[in-house]
Amino acid sequence: MNGSIDFDRLLEQAQTAASRAYAPYSGYHVGAALLCADGSVFTGSNVENASYSLSVCAERNALFQAVHAGHKEFLAIAIYVDDDELFPPCGACRQVLAEFNPEIPVLYANQTQSVLTDLAILLPQAFSLTEP
Ligand code: THU
């Protein structure tokens, strides 16, 4: 299944999304591109606020837009971080992704490194109120 996913293209879209981040406080620019079952892609970037805790991550911005547009089946997510340090997505975004696909392939990358993994590895035994 993963073989048919164009991760290079998805990562390019995530990189473009990162360029639209609003991150004047952290300086950490993140972009996400979420592939839906019908082939459509929703992107998001992190949007910060002077009241720091109101900031929203790139991954959740992408996912909420996709759900709002009527999508609930997701095939993959690519995340681009415009920083020398590379970290996997935060716990809150892992939990939000797990709501829809607890095994979604996750590619996260910066300019020099990329890691392809999946949510079952990043968030084993995710909290869920729905039947497996
Ligand atoms: N951030 C994301 O957009 N995604 C993550 O998975 C981790 C963190 C954002 C939130 C905040 O704007 C900045 O990165 C620093 O934490």
Side-chain angles (χ1 to χ4, degrees):
M1 186 64 205
N2 270 6
S4 61
I5 295 173
D6 187 350
F7 281 103
D8 289 342
R9 173 83 188 110
L10 209 55
L11 190 58
E12 272 175 28
Q13 290 168 290
Q15 186 168 5
T16 300
S19 72
R20 299 187 190 130
Y22 177 74
Y25 304 104
S26 72
Y28 197 72
H29 293 217
V30 186
L34 182 65
L35 177 64
C36 303
D38 70 349
S40 57
V41 173
F42 285 75
T43 60
S45 51
N46 54 326
V47 178
E48 298 184 345
N49 192 274
S51 180
Y52 299 160
S53 63
L54 300 182
S55 304
V56 177
C57 292
E59 298 89 330
R60 276 176 289 154
N61 255 342
L63 184 131
F64 293 155
Q65 287 191 61
V67 173
H68 176 67
H71 299 277
K72 290 190 181 61
E73 270 184 68
F74 305 115
L75 302 183
I77 187 165
I79 302 151
Y80 184 85
V81 178
D82 190 12
D83 198 88
D84 293 341
E85 297 257 26
L86 180 62
F87 299 104
C90 81
C93 290
R94 296 181 202 194
Q95 178 65 34
V96 169
L97 286 164
E99 179 76 21
F100 296 93
N101 183 352
E103 297 179 353
I104 189 170
V106 177
L107 174 70
Y108 61 97
N110 63 9
Q111 195 70 259
T112 55
Q113 313 161 67
S114 71
V115 177
L116 178 59
T117 181
D118 65 57
L119 201 59
I121 291 170
L122 292 173
L123 188 65
Q125 299 183 315
F127 176 70
S128 175
L129 294 176
T130 57
E131 294 297 321

